[in-house]
């Protein structure tokens, strides 16, 4: 998406970034998270399948070294080949996700900081264009930041009981299910308003899907129901993202014709 927003369907200059944000960076995000969330993951019924892995203590060194070995070469390459501005966004992207799970910061256990730190998911919309020598579409960056912030708290509602049990004070734990939905609704509304300055169909699709997800838990805010509807939250970026993606690809194709 970030490449398409530069006006190109493909750029070989982006290949290293695209390779990095597949396995290596996902290992950094979720591998580190699994290391520091073993206690809560072990009592979470949705873990051990598509909802996330359960790891054994003996696997920790392998995961930690795997994160370093797969990410460090990319970060060195980026430092040598991309602009300072792009690298600042890349390092902010990496360190925020690292300290979401890892102490001493461990944003995951700090109400509101856990949610705000997940705005990080939008950073590729900034650093990919910057690495390619283009100006990012900043309204899209900020809209996706607001969207990601809200989605994190929405997904955390299902884990309120498990996080309470192991004394992890997430935004969802701190606010409770119903007040968390207010927080989520506010930020998804902010994202829709910002998306409207970029693309009206995207803003409409985002508003409708967000409203539907909020309604699904509003009518039954039990953790059991929140876990049941999680699959629809997983589908959210694919369905609404396609509304944007199809339009961007079509625009770029027509530009080439």
């Amino acid at each position: 998406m970030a490449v398409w927003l530069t006006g190109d369907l493909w750029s070989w200059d982006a290949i290293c970034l695209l390779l990095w944000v597949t396995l290596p960076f996902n290992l950094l995000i979720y591998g580190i998270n699994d290391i520091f969330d073993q206690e809560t993951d072990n009592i979470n019924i949705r873990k051990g399948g598509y909802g996330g892995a359960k790891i054994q203590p003996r696997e920790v060194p392998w995961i930690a070294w795997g994160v370093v070995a797969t990410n460090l070469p990319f970060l060195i390459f980026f430092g040598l080949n991309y602009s300072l501005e792009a690298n600042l966004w890349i390092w902010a992207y990496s360190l925020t996700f690292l300290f979401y799970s890892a102490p001493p910061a461990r944003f995951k256990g700090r109400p509101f900081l856990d949610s705000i730190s997940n705005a990080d998911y939008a950073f590729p919309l900034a650093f990919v264009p910057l690495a390619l020598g283009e100006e990012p579409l900043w309204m899209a960056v900020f809209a996706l930041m607001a969207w990601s912030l809200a989605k994190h708290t929405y997904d955390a509602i299902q884990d309120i009981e498990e996080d309470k049990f192991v004394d992890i004070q997430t935004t969802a734990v701190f606010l409770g299910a119903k007040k968390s939905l207010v927080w989520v609704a506010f930020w998804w509304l902010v994202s829709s308003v910002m998306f409207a300055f970029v693309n009206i169909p995207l803003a409409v699709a985002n508003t409708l899907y967000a409203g539907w997800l909020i309604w699904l838990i509003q009518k039954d805010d039990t953790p059991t129901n929140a876990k049941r509807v999680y699959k629809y939250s997983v589908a959210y970026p694919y369905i609404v993202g396609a509304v944007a993606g199809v339009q961007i690809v079509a625009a770029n194709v027509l530009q080439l014709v």
Side-chain angles (χ1 to χ4, degrees):
M1 188 75 78
V3 172
W4 294 341
L5 284 172
T6 67
D8 291 322
L9 290 176
W10 174 248
S11 171
W12 282 106
D13 292 336
I15 187 66
C16 286
L17 285 166
L18 293 173
L19 289 173
W20 178 55
V21 297
T22 53
L23 188 145
F25 195 73
N26 274 275
L27 183 60
L28 185 153
I29 301 174
Y30 300 109
I32 296 298
N33 183 257
D34 285 343
I35 289 173
F36 291 101
D37 276 11
Q38 291 177 74
E39 187 178 8
T40 185
D41 286 350
N42 286 335
I43 62 170
N44 193 326
I45 60 172
R46 76 178 176 89
K47 297 293 185 175
Y50 83 93
K54 291 183 179 181
I55 67 168
Q56 302 297 321
R58 59 183 171 78
E59 296 177 285
V60 169
W62 290 100
I63 295 171
W65 280 109
V67 169
V68 173
T70 56
N71 282 272
L72 190 58
F74 283 98
L75 293 173
I76 293 172
F77 175 84
F78 300 153
L80 295 174
N81 290 276
Y82 298 150
S83 69
L84 175 61
E85 192 175 5
N87 275 281
L88 288 174
W89 279 92
I90 288 169
W91 275 98
Y93 188 55
S94 305
L95 292 176
T96 304
F97 274 121
L98 173 64
F99 288 116
Y100 170 79
S101 299
R106 188 153 167 80
F107 300 135
K108 177 171 182 171
R110 301 176 187 271
F112 302 109
L113 280 178
D114 65 331
S115 183
I116 292 168
S117 67
N118 271 255
D120 214 11
Y121 276 104
F123 286 13
L125 290 189
F127 67 70
V128 171
L130 289 170
L132 298 177
E134 302 286 345
E135 185 71 14
L137 186 56
W138 290 110
M139 191 60 76
V141 176
F142 297 138
L144 190 57
M145 288 172 71
W147 181 91
S148 301
L149 186 161
K151 189 173 185 300
H152 175 269
T153 298
Y154 184 88
D155 290 345
I157 291 172
Q158 66 185 310
D159 295 330
I160 286 176
E161 288 186 344
E162 291 86 354
D163 288 336
K164 268 186 179 178
F165 184 78
V166 296
D167 198 29
I168 296 177
Q169 189 81 333
T170 64
T171 302
V173 169
F174 181 76
L175 293 176
K178 289 200 179 296
K179 289 182 180 178
S180 291
L181 289 177
V182 175
W183 169 262
V184 168
F186 173 77
W187 287 109
W188 270 340
L189 179 60
V190 168
S191 72
S192 287
V193 171
M194 290 183 174
F195 280 136
F197 286 96
V198 179
N199 182 262
I200 296 296
L202 172 60
V204 171
N206 188 62
T207 302
L208 292 175
Y209 204 100
W212 179 60
L213 284 183
I214 291 167
W215 176 78
L216 286 175
I217 293 185
Q218 177 63 37
K219 66 188 181 74
D220 178 4
D221 64 359
T222 62
T224 300
N225 182 57
K227 286 180 171 64
R228 182 184 66 81
V229 304
Y230 175 61
K231 57 182 175 287
Y232 303 122
S233 179
V234 171
Y236 190 172
Y238 296 96
I239 293 172
V240 176
V243 174
V246 168
Q247 292 182 81
I248 297 171
V249 169
N252 285 336
V253 168
L254 292 172
Q255 178 181 300
L256 294 173
V257 173

